[in-house]
Amino acid sequence: MKSKFEASIDHLKEIEMNAYAYELIREIVLPDMLGQDYSSMMYWAGKHLARKFPLESWEQFPAFFE
């Protein structure tokens, strides 16, 4: 039986995203929408993701982002 973490990773691997679309959203759309709150929201989002997908060591990072 897979852990919740492994199931979440499997689901994310199914999603394919165009790199241009990703950069467009992250670098243009989000900053325009969030304005001065962009930095705070990106910090919050990163913190939220780290809690949702906890890694036990630095060695797990490359596998997580593959």
Side-chain angles (χ1 to χ4, degrees), residues 16-64:
E16 184 176 325
M17 181 181 275
N18 177 304
Y20 177 73
Y22 171 80
E23 288 297 318
L24 190 63
I25 290 169
R26 182 177 170 125
E27 301 300 328
I28 305 297
V29 175
L30 286 177
D32 284 350
M33 287 175 56
L34 299 174
Q36 67 184 24
D37 295 327
Y38 175 73
S39 294
S40 297
M41 293 298 292
M42 294 304 286
Y43 173 79
W44 175 86
K47 201 162 122 176
H48 178 73
L49 288 171
R51 289 180 177 158
K52 188 169 185 120
F53 301 103
L55 301 177
E56 295 183 22
S57 71
W58 287 102
E59 288 78 24
Q60 292 179 323
F61 275 76
F64 178 79

Side-chain angles (χ1 to χ4, degrees), residues 3-20:
S3 71
K4 184 177 177 183
F5 173 76
E6 290 170 324
S8 294
I9 293 298
D10 287 345
H11 174 71
L12 290 174
K13 286 180 180 177
E14 293 173 11
I15 300 171
E16 184 176 325
M17 181 181 275
N18 177 304
Y20 177 73

